[in-house]
Amino acid sequence: METVGTAGGAAQRVAEVLRERIARGILPPGTRLSEESLGAGLGVSRNTLREAFRLLADGRLVVHELNRGVFVRVLGPGDVIDIYTVRRALETAGVRAAPDAPPERFGALRQAVAAGAKAAQSGDWSMVGTADLHFHQALGGLAGSPRLDEYLSRLLAELRLAFLAMPSPRDLHEPFLHRNQAIAALLESGASDRAEAELERYLSDAQRMILDIMMKADA
Amino acid sequence: METVGTAGGAAQRVAEVLRERIARGILPPGTRLSEESLGAGLGVSRNTLREAFRLLADGRLVVHELNRGVFVRVLGPGDVIDIYTVRRALETAGVRAAPDAPPERFGALRQAVAAGAKAAQSGDWSMVGTADLHFHQALGGLAGSPRLDEYLSRLLAELRLAFLAMPSPRDLHEPFLHRNQAIAALLESGASDRAEAELERYLSDAQRMILDIMMKADA
DNA sequence: GCATATTTGTCCGTATGTATA
DNA sequence: CTATACATACGGACAAATATG
Protein backbone atom coordinates (compact mmCIF):
# COMPACT_ATOMS: atom_id res chain seq x y z
CA MET A 1 0.00 0.00 0.00
CA GLU A 2 1.84 2.98 -1.19
CA THR A 3 0.07 6.19 -2.07
CA VAL A 4 3.32 7.66 -3.27
CA GLY A 5 5.20 6.32 -6.21
CA THR A 6 8.11 8.71 -6.35
CA ALA A 7 10.90 9.36 -3.95
CA GLY A 8 11.91 12.72 -2.56
CA GLY A 9 9.42 13.50 0.14
CA ALA A 10 5.70 14.01 -0.09
CA ALA A 11 5.72 17.66 0.90
CA GLN A 12 8.14 18.59 -1.86
CA ARG A 13 6.13 16.67 -4.38
CA VAL A 14 2.92 18.39 -3.36
CA ALA A 15 4.64 21.77 -3.45
CA GLU A 16 5.81 21.05 -6.97
CA VAL A 17 2.32 20.18 -8.10
CA LEU A 18 0.91 23.35 -6.62
CA ARG A 19 3.73 25.41 -8.12
CA GLU A 20 2.83 24.04 -11.50
CA ARG A 21 -0.87 24.79 -11.05
CA ILE A 22 -0.11 28.31 -9.98
CA ALA A 23 2.22 28.88 -12.93
CA ARG A 24 -0.41 27.56 -15.31
CA GLY A 25 -3.03 29.86 -13.90
CA ILE A 26 -5.23 27.02 -12.66
CA LEU A 27 -4.89 28.55 -9.23
CA PRO A 28 -5.07 32.27 -10.04
CA PRO A 29 -3.67 34.96 -7.75
CA GLY A 30 -5.91 35.58 -4.79
CA THR A 31 -7.20 32.03 -4.64
CA ARG A 32 -7.48 30.61 -1.20
CA LEU A 33 -5.76 27.28 -0.64
CA SER A 34 -7.90 25.40 1.81
CA GLU A 35 -6.10 22.75 3.79
CA GLU A 36 -9.04 20.40 3.78
CA SER A 37 -10.21 20.53 0.17
CA LEU A 38 -6.73 20.48 -1.35
CA GLY A 39 -5.53 17.73 0.93
CA ALA A 40 -8.44 15.55 -0.08
CA GLY A 41 -7.82 16.15 -3.77
CA LEU A 42 -4.13 15.39 -3.54
CA GLY A 43 -4.45 12.44 -1.24
CA VAL A 44 -2.18 13.77 1.46
CA SER A 45 -2.85 14.62 5.06
CA ARG A 46 -3.23 18.13 6.38
CA ASN A 47 0.14 17.96 8.07
CA THR A 48 1.96 17.17 4.87
CA LEU A 49 0.05 19.85 3.02
CA ARG A 50 1.02 22.41 5.60
CA GLU A 51 4.68 21.56 5.08
CA ALA A 52 4.20 22.10 1.38
CA PHE A 53 2.61 25.47 2.11
CA ARG A 54 5.68 26.53 4.06
CA LEU A 55 7.80 25.73 1.05
CA LEU A 56 5.63 27.77 -1.29
CA ALA A 57 5.32 30.65 1.16
CA ASP A 58 9.06 30.84 1.38
CA GLY A 59 9.22 31.11 -2.38
CA ARG A 60 6.73 33.95 -2.14
CA LEU A 61 4.23 32.23 -4.40
CA VAL A 62 1.68 32.17 -1.63
CA VAL A 63 1.16 34.31 1.43
CA HIS A 64 0.42 32.80 4.79
CA GLU A 65 -1.94 34.89 6.87
CA LEU A 66 -2.08 33.77 10.45
CA ASN A 67 -5.25 31.87 11.34
CA ARG A 68 -6.69 32.80 7.98
CA GLY A 69 -4.98 30.41 5.63
CA VAL A 70 -2.77 30.65 2.58
CA PHE A 71 -3.58 32.53 -0.61
CA VAL A 72 -1.97 32.64 -4.02
CA ARG A 73 0.00 35.83 -4.09
CA VAL A 74 -1.28 38.91 -5.90
CA LEU A 75 1.50 41.16 -7.11
CA GLY A 76 1.27 44.91 -6.75
CA PRO A 77 3.22 47.56 -8.63
CA GLY A 78 5.73 47.69 -5.80
CA ASP A 79 6.44 44.01 -6.20
CA VAL A 80 7.05 44.39 -9.91
CA ILE A 81 9.49 47.24 -9.37
CA ASP A 82 11.25 45.24 -6.70
CA ILE A 83 11.49 42.12 -8.81
CA TYR A 84 13.01 44.07 -11.68
CA THR A 85 15.54 45.65 -9.38
CA VAL A 86 16.85 42.24 -8.36
CA ARG A 87 16.58 40.89 -11.90
CA ARG A 88 18.84 43.70 -13.03
CA ALA A 89 21.36 42.79 -10.33
CA LEU A 90 21.40 39.08 -11.06
CA GLU A 91 21.13 39.07 -14.83
CA THR A 92 23.74 41.76 -15.37
CA ALA A 93 26.02 39.78 -13.07
CA GLY A 94 25.64 36.87 -15.45
CA VAL A 95 26.36 39.04 -18.46
CA ARG A 96 29.43 40.53 -16.84
CA ALA A 97 30.70 37.01 -16.18
CA ALA A 98 30.16 36.02 -19.81
CA PRO A 99 33.76 36.59 -20.99
CA ASP A 100 35.03 34.08 -18.44
CA ALA A 101 32.21 31.60 -18.93
CA PRO A 102 32.92 28.25 -20.58
CA PRO A 103 31.43 28.06 -24.08
CA GLU A 104 28.94 25.33 -23.16
CA ARG A 105 26.93 27.80 -21.13
CA PHE A 106 25.91 29.68 -24.24
CA GLY A 107 24.02 26.62 -25.41
CA ALA A 108 21.10 27.31 -23.08
CA LEU A 109 20.97 30.83 -24.46
CA ARG A 110 20.76 29.71 -28.09
CA GLN A 111 18.22 27.08 -27.17
CA ALA A 112 15.92 29.58 -25.46
CA VAL A 113 16.13 31.99 -28.38
CA ALA A 114 15.28 29.21 -30.79
CA ALA A 115 12.36 28.06 -28.65
CA GLY A 116 11.01 31.60 -28.55
CA ALA A 117 11.19 31.98 -32.33
CA LYS A 118 9.51 28.67 -32.89
CA ALA A 119 6.71 29.41 -30.44
CA ALA A 120 6.12 32.80 -32.05
CA GLN A 121 5.77 31.17 -35.46
CA SER A 122 3.09 28.85 -34.19
CA GLY A 123 1.40 31.75 -32.43
CA ASP A 124 1.71 30.26 -28.96
CA TRP A 125 2.38 33.44 -27.05
CA SER A 126 2.16 31.78 -23.69
CA MET A 127 5.04 29.55 -24.69
CA VAL A 128 6.89 32.58 -25.98
CA GLY A 129 6.57 33.86 -22.43
CA THR A 130 8.13 30.76 -20.91
CA ALA A 131 10.90 30.81 -23.52
CA ASP A 132 11.58 34.40 -22.53
CA LEU A 133 11.90 33.39 -18.90
CA HIS A 134 14.23 30.55 -19.87
CA PHE A 135 16.38 32.96 -21.81
CA HIS A 136 16.78 35.27 -18.87
CA GLN A 137 17.41 32.35 -16.57
CA ALA A 138 20.21 31.38 -18.93
CA LEU A 139 21.60 34.91 -18.80
CA GLY A 140 21.97 34.61 -15.05
CA GLY A 141 23.34 31.12 -15.54
CA LEU A 142 26.41 32.54 -17.25
CA ALA A 143 27.71 33.33 -13.79
CA GLY A 144 27.85 29.60 -13.05
CA SER A 145 26.46 30.07 -9.56
CA PRO A 146 23.87 27.64 -8.20
CA ARG A 147 22.60 30.15 -5.69
CA LEU A 148 22.27 32.89 -8.25
CA ASP A 149 20.38 30.46 -10.44
CA GLU A 150 18.04 29.60 -7.62
CA TYR A 151 17.32 33.18 -6.65
CA LEU A 152 16.69 34.15 -10.24
CA SER A 153 14.47 31.14 -10.71
CA ARG A 154 12.33 32.14 -7.77
CA LEU A 155 12.16 35.67 -8.98
CA LEU A 156 10.97 34.70 -12.42
CA ALA A 157 8.43 32.30 -10.95
CA GLU A 158 7.04 35.24 -9.02
CA LEU A 159 7.02 37.39 -12.10
CA ARG A 160 4.89 34.81 -13.84
CA LEU A 161 2.16 35.76 -11.41
CA ALA A 162 2.17 39.22 -12.96
CA PHE A 163 2.13 37.79 -16.47
CA LEU A 164 -1.00 35.83 -15.60
CA ALA A 165 -2.83 39.05 -14.86
CA MET A 166 -1.96 40.57 -18.24
CA PRO A 167 -4.73 40.61 -20.82
CA SER A 168 -2.76 40.06 -24.03
CA PRO A 169 0.26 37.75 -23.82
CA ARG A 170 1.14 38.69 -27.38
CA ASP A 171 1.46 42.41 -26.74
CA LEU A 172 3.48 41.52 -23.67
CA HIS A 173 6.08 39.24 -25.22
CA GLU A 174 6.26 39.98 -28.93
CA PRO A 175 8.16 43.28 -28.66
CA PHE A 176 10.96 41.58 -26.77
CA LEU A 177 11.55 38.59 -28.97
CA HIS A 178 14.13 40.18 -31.23
CA ARG A 179 15.74 41.97 -28.34
CA ASN A 180 16.59 38.68 -26.70
CA GLN A 181 18.10 37.57 -29.96
CA ALA A 182 20.13 40.77 -30.17
CA ILE A 183 21.48 40.33 -26.66
CA ALA A 184 22.45 36.75 -27.41
CA ALA A 185 24.25 37.85 -30.58
CA LEU A 186 26.18 40.55 -28.74
CA LEU A 187 27.26 38.04 -26.11
CA GLU A 188 28.43 35.48 -28.61
CA SER A 189 30.45 38.11 -30.42
CA GLY A 190 32.17 38.94 -27.15
CA ALA A 191 30.65 42.40 -26.76
CA SER A 192 29.45 41.84 -23.23
CA ASP A 193 29.56 45.55 -22.40
CA ARG A 194 27.08 46.38 -25.09
CA ALA A 195 25.03 43.34 -24.14
CA GLU A 196 24.81 44.63 -20.60
CA ALA A 197 23.68 48.06 -21.73
CA GLU A 198 21.10 46.49 -24.00
CA LEU A 199 19.87 44.28 -21.18
CA GLU A 200 19.42 47.27 -18.90
CA ARG A 201 17.28 48.97 -21.50
CA TYR A 202 15.34 45.77 -22.04
CA LEU A 203 14.52 45.46 -18.36
CA SER A 204 13.56 49.10 -18.03
CA ASP A 205 11.18 48.89 -20.95
CA ALA A 206 9.65 45.61 -19.82
CA GLN A 207 9.09 46.92 -16.32
CA ARG A 208 7.45 50.07 -17.59
CA MET A 209 5.18 48.10 -19.89
CA ILE A 210 3.97 45.76 -17.14
CA LEU A 211 3.36 48.64 -14.78
CA ASP A 212 1.40 50.53 -17.41
CA ILE A 213 -0.88 47.60 -18.06
CA MET A 214 -1.28 46.99 -14.34
CA MET A 215 -2.35 50.56 -13.68
CA LYS A 216 -4.80 50.51 -16.54
CA ALA A 217 -6.35 47.30 -15.25
CA ASP A 218 -6.94 48.83 -11.84
CA ALA A 219 -8.94 51.68 -13.30
CA MET B 1 -3.78 27.90 28.77
CA GLU B 2 -1.27 29.09 26.28
CA THR B 3 2.09 27.48 25.89
CA VAL B 4 3.15 30.24 23.56
CA GLY B 5 3.44 33.79 24.66
CA THR B 6 4.23 35.46 21.39
CA ALA B 7 2.20 35.75 18.24
CA GLY B 8 3.27 34.84 14.74
CA GLY B 9 3.09 31.10 14.55
CA ALA B 10 4.97 28.51 16.53
CA ALA B 11 6.96 27.15 13.60
CA GLN B 12 8.39 30.56 12.75
CA ARG B 13 9.27 31.16 16.36
CA VAL B 14 11.04 27.85 16.63
CA ALA B 15 12.87 28.48 13.38
CA GLU B 16 14.04 31.83 14.69
CA VAL B 17 15.35 30.27 17.89
CA LEU B 18 17.26 27.64 15.96
CA ARG B 19 18.61 30.24 13.53
CA GLU B 20 19.96 32.14 16.49
CA ARG B 21 21.55 29.06 18.04
CA ILE B 22 23.18 28.17 14.77
CA ALA B 23 24.49 31.69 14.27
CA ARG B 24 25.93 31.70 17.78
CA GLY B 25 27.66 28.41 17.22
CA ILE B 26 25.66 26.62 19.90
CA LEU B 27 24.61 24.23 17.18
CA PRO B 28 27.81 23.89 15.16
CA PRO B 29 27.89 22.81 11.53
CA GLY B 30 27.37 19.09 11.17
CA THR B 31 25.19 18.80 14.25
CA ARG B 32 22.24 16.57 13.86
CA LEU B 33 18.90 18.08 14.75
CA SER B 34 16.85 15.26 16.15
CA GLU B 35 13.12 15.75 15.99
CA GLU B 36 12.55 14.13 19.32
CA SER B 37 15.24 15.68 21.50
CA LEU B 38 14.83 19.21 20.19
CA GLY B 39 11.07 19.10 20.32
CA ALA B 40 11.16 18.12 23.97
CA GLY B 41 13.54 20.94 24.82
CA LEU B 42 11.49 23.55 23.02
CA GLY B 43 8.12 22.32 24.14
CA VAL B 44 6.70 21.86 20.69
CA SER B 45 5.48 18.79 18.89
CA ARG B 46 7.31 17.01 16.12
CA ASN B 47 4.88 18.36 13.61
CA THR B 48 5.63 21.96 14.43
CA LEU B 49 9.33 21.22 14.54
CA ARG B 50 9.20 19.66 11.11
CA GLU B 51 7.60 22.81 9.74
CA ALA B 52 10.38 24.84 11.28
CA PHE B 53 12.94 22.53 9.69
CA ARG B 54 11.45 23.19 6.27
CA LEU B 55 11.90 26.89 6.80
CA LEU B 56 15.53 26.51 7.83
CA ALA B 57 16.26 24.08 5.02
CA ASP B 58 14.91 26.56 2.54
CA GLY B 59 17.29 29.14 3.95
CA ARG B 60 20.09 26.61 3.43
CA LEU B 61 21.10 26.73 7.08
CA VAL B 62 20.33 23.06 7.45
CA VAL B 63 20.28 20.23 4.98
CA HIS B 64 17.46 17.76 4.90
CA GLU B 65 18.63 14.28 3.98
CA LEU B 66 15.75 12.01 3.15
CA ASN B 67 14.94 9.53 5.89
CA ARG B 68 18.08 10.53 7.72
CA GLY B 69 17.10 13.78 9.35
CA VAL B 70 18.31 17.36 9.27
CA PHE B 71 21.85 18.56 9.94
CA VAL B 72 23.39 21.95 10.39
CA ARG B 73 25.01 22.76 7.10
CA VAL B 74 28.76 22.45 6.63
CA LEU B 75 30.11 24.76 3.99
CA GLY B 76 32.66 23.59 1.47
CA PRO B 77 34.97 25.69 -0.69
CA GLY B 78 32.47 25.57 -3.53
CA ASP B 79 29.82 27.11 -1.31
CA VAL B 80 32.10 29.94 -0.32
CA ILE B 81 32.94 30.72 -3.93
CA ASP B 82 29.28 30.63 -4.82
CA ILE B 83 28.23 32.85 -1.95
CA TYR B 84 30.81 35.44 -2.92
CA THR B 85 29.63 35.39 -6.51
CA VAL B 86 26.13 36.35 -5.46
CA ARG B 87 27.39 38.80 -2.84
CA ARG B 88 29.25 40.57 -5.59
CA ALA B 89 26.09 40.77 -7.69
CA LEU B 90 23.86 42.05 -4.90
CA GLU B 91 26.22 44.38 -3.10
CA THR B 92 27.53 46.05 -6.22
CA ALA B 93 23.92 46.54 -7.27
CA GLY B 94 23.42 48.46 -4.05
CA VAL B 95 26.52 50.54 -4.62
CA ARG B 96 25.51 51.34 -8.19
CA ALA B 97 22.15 52.55 -6.88
CA ALA B 98 23.83 54.79 -4.30
CA PRO B 99 23.66 58.03 -6.33
CA ASP B 100 19.89 57.77 -6.52
CA ALA B 101 19.44 56.58 -2.96
CA PRO B 102 17.76 58.87 -0.40
CA PRO B 103 20.27 60.20 2.15
CA GLU B 104 18.66 58.38 5.06
CA ARG B 105 19.90 55.07 3.74
CA PHE B 106 23.49 56.03 4.44
CA GLY B 107 22.70 56.09 8.13
CA ALA B 108 22.82 52.30 8.41
CA LEU B 109 26.19 52.41 6.73
CA ARG B 110 27.66 54.89 9.18
CA GLN B 111 26.14 53.01 12.09
CA ALA B 112 27.70 49.71 11.05
CA VAL B 113 31.11 51.30 10.57
CA ALA B 114 30.88 52.88 14.02
CA ALA B 115 29.80 49.60 15.60
CA GLY B 116 32.75 47.84 14.01
CA ALA B 117 35.23 50.41 15.28
CA LYS B 118 33.80 50.27 18.77
CA ALA B 119 33.85 46.48 18.89
CA ALA B 120 37.45 46.44 17.69
CA GLN B 121 38.46 48.81 20.49
CA SER B 122 37.00 46.50 23.10
CA GLY B 123 38.62 43.52 21.42
CA ASP B 124 35.34 41.76 20.70
CA TRP B 125 36.22 40.29 17.34
CA SER B 126 33.10 38.24 17.11
CA MET B 127 31.08 41.43 17.31
CA VAL B 128 33.36 42.97 14.71
CA GLY B 129 32.26 40.13 12.50
CA THR B 130 28.57 40.86 12.96
CA ALA B 131 29.19 44.57 12.40
CA ASP B 132 30.93 43.65 9.16
CA LEU B 133 27.91 41.67 8.06
CA HIS B 134 25.64 44.57 8.99
CA PHE B 135 27.76 46.90 6.91
CA HIS B 136 27.49 44.75 3.85
CA GLN B 137 23.80 44.25 4.41
CA ALA B 138 23.53 48.04 4.41
CA LEU B 139 25.47 48.22 1.15
CA GLY B 140 22.87 46.05 -0.52
CA GLY B 141 20.18 48.07 1.23
CA LEU B 142 21.13 51.11 -0.82
CA ALA B 143 19.13 49.56 -3.65
CA GLY B 144 15.99 49.93 -1.57
CA SER B 145 14.72 46.52 -2.56
CA PRO B 146 13.08 44.26 0.04
CA ARG B 147 13.82 41.15 -2.00
CA LEU B 148 17.44 42.06 -2.51
CA ASP B 149 17.68 42.68 1.22
CA GLU B 150 16.22 39.29 1.96
CA TYR B 151 18.45 37.38 -0.42
CA LEU B 152 21.52 39.14 0.87
CA SER B 153 20.45 38.48 4.44
CA ARG B 154 20.18 34.78 3.76
CA LEU B 155 23.48 34.76 2.03
CA LEU B 156 25.28 36.41 4.91
CA ALA B 157 23.59 34.10 7.41
CA GLU B 158 25.03 31.22 5.43
CA LEU B 159 28.42 32.83 5.35
CA ARG B 160 28.38 33.01 9.11
CA LEU B 161 28.56 29.23 9.07
CA ALA B 162 31.96 29.56 7.43
CA PHE B 163 33.07 32.17 9.95
CA LEU B 164 32.25 29.76 12.76
CA ALA B 165 34.76 27.29 11.38
CA MET B 166 37.57 29.86 11.33
CA PRO B 167 40.14 29.58 14.10
CA SER B 168 40.96 33.25 14.67
CA PRO B 169 38.12 35.76 14.31
CA ARG B 170 40.62 38.56 14.71
CA ASP B 171 42.76 37.59 11.75
CA LEU B 172 39.59 37.16 9.78
CA HIS B 173 37.97 40.52 10.42
CA GLU B 174 40.64 42.99 11.42
CA PRO B 175 42.16 43.48 7.97
CA PHE B 176 38.81 44.58 6.58
CA LEU B 177 37.78 47.09 9.20
CA HIS B 178 39.37 50.10 7.56
CA ARG B 179 38.35 48.95 4.12
CA ASN B 180 34.69 49.14 5.09
CA GLN B 181 35.33 52.63 6.34
CA ALA B 182 37.02 53.56 3.07
CA ILE B 183 34.11 52.27 1.01
CA ALA B 184 31.67 54.22 3.16
CA ALA B 185 33.72 57.38 2.72
CA LEU B 186 33.84 56.98 -1.04
CA LEU B 187 30.09 56.52 -1.17
CA GLU B 188 29.36 59.55 0.94
CA SER B 189 31.60 61.66 -1.25
CA GLY B 190 29.61 60.54 -4.26
CA ALA B 191 32.39 58.48 -5.84
CA SER B 192 30.28 55.38 -6.26
CA ASP B 193 32.38 54.13 -9.18
CA ARG B 194 35.49 53.98 -7.08
CA ALA B 195 33.48 52.51 -4.22
CA GLU B 196 32.34 49.72 -6.51
CA ALA B 197 35.88 48.95 -7.63
CA GLU B 198 37.04 48.95 -4.03
CA LEU B 199 34.21 46.66 -3.04
CA GLU B 200 35.12 44.19 -5.78
CA ARG B 201 38.67 44.05 -4.48
CA TYR B 202 37.41 43.66 -0.93
CA LEU B 203 35.26 40.69 -1.84
CA SER B 204 38.01 39.04 -3.85
CA ASP B 205 40.46 39.33 -0.99
CA ALA B 206 37.99 38.17 1.63
CA GLN B 207 37.02 35.16 -0.43
CA ARG B 208 40.61 34.18 -0.99
CA MET B 209 41.39 34.50 2.70
CA ILE B 210 38.51 32.29 3.79
CA LEU B 211 39.37 29.68 1.19
CA ASP B 212 43.01 29.65 2.26
CA ILE B 213 42.11 29.06 5.89
CA MET B 214 39.58 26.42 4.91
CA MET B 215 42.13 24.47 2.88
CA LYS B 216 44.69 24.66 5.63
CA ALA B 217 42.17 23.35 8.16
CA ASP B 218 41.41 20.34 6.01
CA ALA B 219 45.05 19.28 5.97
C1' DG C 1 -23.24 42.97 19.48
C1' DC C 2 -23.82 37.92 19.89
C1' DA C 3 -23.97 33.04 18.92
C1' DT C 4 -22.70 29.61 15.64
C1' DA C 5 -20.13 27.23 12.08
C1' DT C 6 -15.98 26.86 9.71
C1' DT C 7 -11.10 26.76 9.42
C1' DT C 8 -6.70 26.98 11.11
C1' DG C 9 -3.01 25.84 14.75
C1' DT C 10 -1.14 22.45 17.44
C1' DC C 11 -0.47 18.07 19.49
C1' DC C 12 -0.58 13.05 19.96
C1' DG C 13 -0.70 8.10 18.69
C1' DT C 14 0.47 4.91 15.34
C1' DA C 15 1.84 2.37 11.16
C1' DT C 16 5.32 2.02 7.64
C1' DG C 17 9.58 2.42 5.48
C1' DT C 18 14.56 3.28 5.60
C1' DA C 19 19.21 3.47 7.38
C1' DT C 20 22.58 1.82 10.46
C1' DA C 21 24.71 -1.20 14.14
C1' DC D 1 21.03 -10.86 7.82
C1' DT D 2 18.59 -9.49 11.73
C1' DA D 3 17.37 -6.09 14.93
C1' DT D 4 17.05 -1.57 16.51
C1' DA D 5 16.43 3.23 16.02
C1' DC D 6 14.57 6.82 13.65
C1' DA D 7 12.31 9.54 10.10
C1' DT D 8 8.06 9.80 7.30
C1' DA D 9 3.37 10.24 6.89
C1' DC D 10 -1.37 9.55 8.26
C1' DG D 11 -5.57 10.39 10.99
C1' DG D 12 -7.88 12.04 14.82
C1' DA D 13 -8.46 15.22 18.55
C1' DC D 14 -9.04 19.71 20.81
C1' DA D 15 -8.23 24.75 21.38
C1' DA D 16 -8.20 29.16 19.29
C1' DA D 17 -9.24 32.38 15.85
C1' DT D 18 -12.06 33.95 12.20
C1' DA D 19 -16.04 34.46 9.40
C1' DT D 20 -21.00 34.26 8.98
C1' DG D 21 -25.74 34.64 10.21
Side-chain angles (χ1 to χ4, degrees):
Chain A
M1 159 84 68
E2 43 168 287
T3 342
V4 302
T6 338
Q12 259 171 326
R13 225 184 42 254
V14 171
E16 197 48 53
V17 170
L18 294 179
R19 226 186 297 269
E20 191 67 21
R21 293 193 187 173
I22 292 173
R24 283 214 205 294
I26 303 172
L27 297 171
T31 306
R32 169 171 188 177
L33 271 49
S34 163
E35 295 189 353
E36 189 141 354
S37 61
L38 265 183
L42 293 169
V44 295
S45 78
R46 268 182 60 207
N47 273 323
T48 306
L49 194 59
R50 282 171 62 85
E51 289 190 30
F53 283 166
R54 296 281 183 193
L55 257 34
L56 294 175
D58 206 74
R60 287 191 130 109
L61 273 116
V62 303
V63 289
H64 201 137
E65 297 182 28
L66 188 64
N67 288 322
R68 279 182 33 86
V70 302
F71 302 81
V72 180
R73 198 143 208 271
V74 300
L75 263 55
D79 293 305
V80 171
I81 295 173
D82 195 27
I83 289 174
Y84 272 90
T85 299
V86 189
R87 275 190 78 174
R88 231 180 306 270
L90 297 181
E91 294 188 22
T92 58
V95 169
R96 276 197 296 276
D100 304 318
E104 311 91 68
R105 293 217 187 106
F106 290 86
L109 238 49
R110 276 190 284 262
Q111 202 170 330
V113 168
K118 181 167 180 166
Q121 267 189 327
S122 48
D124 188 341
W125 298 105
S126 168
M127 186 170 289
V128 172
T130 69
D132 180 72
L133 294 182
H134 282 326
F135 176 76
H136 287 273
Q137 181 83 50
L139 279 183
L142 292 173
S145 157
R147 280 168 183 78
L148 195 152
D149 288 348
E150 187 202 303
Y151 291 159
L152 187 53
S153 171
R154 291 186 180 207
L155 224 45
L156 298 181
E158 265 195 86
L159 191 57
R160 214 188 277 258
L161 291 177
F163 287 175
L164 287 174
M166 301 284 116
S168 162
R170 174 167 184 165
D171 291 349
L172 185 64
H173 296 301
E174 191 174 33
F176 298 102
L177 256 175
H178 76 279
R179 299 179 73 169
N180 282 342
Q181 199 171 353
I183 292 173
L186 284 170
L187 280 172
E188 302 231 40
S189 73
S192 58
D193 284 349
R194 285 177 57 199
E196 184 180 346
E198 185 53 38
L199 175 61
E200 300 253 17
R201 278 210 303 278
Y202 175 110
L203 292 173
S204 282
D205 294 344
Q207 170 181 338
R208 187 164 21 243
M209 179 176 226
I210 294 180
L211 285 178
D212 282 350
I213 301 178
M214 249 177 151
M215 300 303 192
K216 230 175 275 179
D218 273 356
Chain B
M1 159 83 68
E2 46 170 287
T3 342
V4 301
T6 338
Q12 257 171 327
R13 226 181 43 254
V14 171
E16 196 49 52
V17 170
L18 294 179
R19 225 187 299 269
E20 190 67 23
R21 291 194 189 172
I22 292 172
R24 284 214 205 293
I26 302 172
L27 296 170
T31 306
R32 164 163 191 190
L33 271 47
S34 162
E35 295 190 353
E36 191 139 357
S37 59
L38 266 182
L42 293 168
V44 295
S45 78
R46 292 191 303 285
N47 255 318
T48 306
L49 197 58
R50 278 171 65 88
E51 290 190 26
F53 283 166
R54 296 282 184 194
L55 291 175
L56 293 175
D58 207 73
R60 288 193 130 107
L61 283 170
V62 304
V63 288
H64 201 135
E65 297 183 27
L66 188 63
N67 290 324
R68 279 181 33 86
V70 302
F71 302 81
V72 179
R73 197 145 210 272
V74 301
L75 263 55
D79 293 306
V80 172
I81 294 172
D82 194 27
I83 288 173
Y84 272 89
T85 299
V86 189
R87 276 191 77 174
R88 230 180 306 271
L90 297 182
E91 296 188 22
T92 58
V95 169
R96 275 196 298 277
D100 304 317
E104 310 91 68
R105 289 212 191 113
F106 290 86
L109 238 50
R110 276 190 285 263
Q111 202 170 329
V113 168
K118 182 168 178 167
Q121 266 188 327
S122 49
D124 187 342
W125 299 105
S126 170
M127 185 169 290
V128 172
T130 69
D132 180 72
L133 294 181
H134 282 325
F135 176 76
H136 286 272
Q137 181 83 51
L139 280 182
L142 292 172
S145 158
R147 281 169 183 77
L148 195 153
D149 288 349
E150 188 203 304
Y151 290 158
L152 187 53
S153 171
R154 290 187 180 205
L155 223 45
L156 297 180
E158 266 195 85
L159 191 57
R160 212 189 280 260
L161 290 176
F163 287 176
L164 288 173
M166 301 285 116
S168 163
R170 172 166 186 165
D171 292 349
L172 185 62
H173 296 299
E174 191 174 34
F176 298 102
L177 257 174
H178 76 279
R179 299 179 73 169
N180 282 343
Q181 200 170 354
I183 292 172
L186 284 169
L187 280 173
E188 303 231 41
S189 72
S192 59
D193 284 349
R194 285 177 55 201
E196 183 180 347
E198 185 53 39
L199 175 61
E200 299 253 19
R201 278 211 303 279
Y202 175 111
L203 292 174
S204 282
D205 293 345
Q207 170 180 337
R208 186 163 22 242
M209 181 176 223
I210 294 179
L211 285 177
D212 281 350
I213 301 178
M214 249 178 148
M215 301 302 194
K216 230 175 272 177
D218 273 354

